């Protein structure tokens, strides 16, 4: 074969190879993850390291609520007729002002920090948003707070000082150590249902000796149905004038942009059964959770319920 023929054959083979690559790119395009945002690191998000059902186990609380108190909660639920219509909403303040400190940035003293434990502070955030409706003063002033990873300083802007107080210092008598948060190997941390319940009752009662049976109790989604859930929301908001907390898979929440699909606490502030919606407070912002923003959002009740059912065994309410 001549040199010219060999050269021509090589060119043809090269063209054929390029054509095959082109076909592969067309037939098998790269699939981008849903809701991906290239401007935000994929590692951000709430609830890292939470295992199935973990929010119902572990933690710090060793207090059992009085069976008579729990029975009275059940009786209140049974006294509510099946709901077909109606709406009621609490004031959006103070919940709309509460924000968990971001996991990185500068604290209130101007010191730079990065603490990925802050990813997981939806429990303290929702707790702060909730106890504000009990006449609790959320303005603590400027204080320094420590977790196992870092020490930071926070003031009353967005009630950050109170959020960190709840996370690291609130200490109901039955707790084995102070703070609502349980810290595992960095950056994993969580707040259990029992610990959030006890902190809510402890702070709302003004540190009463009988705090455990003050108001709030826990109901896992397995012990609820959609009707009893709506009844509980109506009882707390309409009859008692107080918010309640829900654990839901954050992938179902409308304010989450790049949802990791893990457990997240929110505060329920209202309902409208005529258009099948509930209103809630989001306390985790763009930096830590890649949400649209902290503040008030509305969600379809069926969507919220499905997010509770599909919360990896962690769905439920503190009501």
């Amino acid at each position: 074969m001549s040199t010219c023929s060999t050269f021509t054959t090589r060119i043809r083979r090269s063209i054929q190879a390029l054509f095959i690559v082109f076909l592969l790119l067309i037939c098998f395009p790269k699939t981008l993850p849903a809701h991906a945002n290239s401007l935000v690191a994929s590692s951000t998000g709430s609830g890292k390291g939470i295992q199935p059902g973990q929010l119902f186990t572990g933690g710090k609380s060793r207090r059992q609520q009085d069976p008579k108190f729990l029975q009275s909660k059940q009786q209140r639920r049974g006294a509510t007729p099946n709901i077909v219509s109606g709406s009621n909403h609490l004031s959006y303040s103070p919940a709309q002002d509460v924000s968990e400190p971001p996991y990185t940035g500068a604290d209130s003293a101007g010191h730079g920090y990065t603490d990925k434990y802050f990813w997981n502070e939806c429990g303290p955030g929702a707790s702060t948003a909730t106890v504000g409706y009990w006449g609790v003063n959320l303005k603590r002033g400027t204080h320094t707070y420590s977790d196992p990873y870092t020490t930071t300083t926070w003031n009353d802007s967005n009630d950050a000082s109170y959020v960190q107080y709840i996370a690291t210092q609130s200490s109901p008598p039955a707790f084995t150590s102070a703070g609502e948060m349980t810290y595992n190997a960095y950056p994993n941390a969580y707040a259990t249902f029992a610990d959030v319940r006890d902190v809510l009752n402890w702070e709302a009662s003004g540190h009463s000796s009988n705090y455990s049976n003050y108001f709030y109790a826990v109901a896992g989604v397995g012990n609820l149905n959609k009707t009893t859930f709506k009844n509980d929301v109506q009882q707390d908001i309409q009859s008692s004038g107080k918010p309640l907390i829900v654990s839901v898979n954050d992938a179902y929440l409308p304010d989450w942009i790049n949802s990791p699909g893990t457990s997240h606490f929110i505060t329920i502030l209202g309902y409208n059964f005529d258009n099948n919606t509930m209103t809630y407070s989001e306390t985790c912002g763009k930096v830590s959770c890649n949400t649209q923003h902290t503040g008030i959002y509305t969600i379809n009740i069926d969507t919220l319920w499905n997010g509770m059912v599909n919360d990896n065994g962690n769905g439920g309410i503190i009501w």
Side-chain angles (χ1 to χ4, degrees), residues 60-224:
K60 304 176 180 183
S61 177
R62 299 296 179 265
R63 177 64 59 90
Q64 298 295 319
Q65 291 181 296
D66 188 332
K68 292 182 179 179
F69 166 75
L70 295 176
Q71 184 179 20
S72 70
K73 295 284 286 187
Q74 296 294 332
Q75 289 172 343
R76 285 177 55 205
R77 174 186 292 165
T80 305
N82 289 337
I83 301 165
V84 294
S85 64
S87 65
N88 201 302
H89 291 81
L90 302 176
S91 169
Y92 293 159
S93 180
Q96 66 183 357
D97 302 319
V98 177
S99 296
E100 305 160 39
Y103 83 96
T104 189
D107 66 8
S108 298
H111 300 140
Y113 73 94
T114 294
D115 187 347
K116 295 178 182 179
Y117 276 138
F118 286 8
W119 275 343
N120 310 288
E121 290 193 345
C122 58
S127 296
T128 299
T130 300
V131 299
Y133 291 82
W134 288 90
V136 175
N137 182 9
L138 301 181
K139 307 305 178 185
R140 301 192 73 247
T142 301
H143 293 276
T144 297
Y145 303 94
S146 297
D147 64 29
Y149 188 77
T150 192
T151 296
T152 49
T153 300
W154 299 100
N155 61 23
D156 291 330
S157 177
N158 299 119
D159 301 311
S161 183
Y162 198 89
V163 172
Q164 292 309 104
Y165 159 74
I166 292 291
T168 63
Q169 295 183 3
S170 181
S171 189
F175 272 24
T176 55
S177 61
E180 191 174 276
M181 296 298 296
T182 294
Y183 297 100
N184 290 340
Y186 184 79
N188 300 317
Y190 64 97
T192 67
F193 274 93
D195 291 351
V196 174
R197 175 204 67 196
D198 282 5
V199 164
L200 290 179
N201 284 331
W202 175 244
E203 301 299 341
S205 70
H207 299 179
S208 166
S209 60
N210 191 36
Y211 74 93
S212 181
N213 305 310
Y214 186 69
F215 184 85
Y216 288 100
V218 173
V221 73
N223 295 318
L224 298 168

Side-chain angles (χ1 to χ4, degrees), residues 224-244:
L224 298 168
N225 57 47
K226 198 181 302 182
T227 297
T228 56
F229 169 55
K230 292 169 68 175
N231 286 346
D232 294 343
V233 171
Q234 183 186 45
Q235 281 287 344
D236 280 7
I237 291 175
Q238 178 174 296
S239 301
S240 302
K242 305 301 180 186
L244 65 157

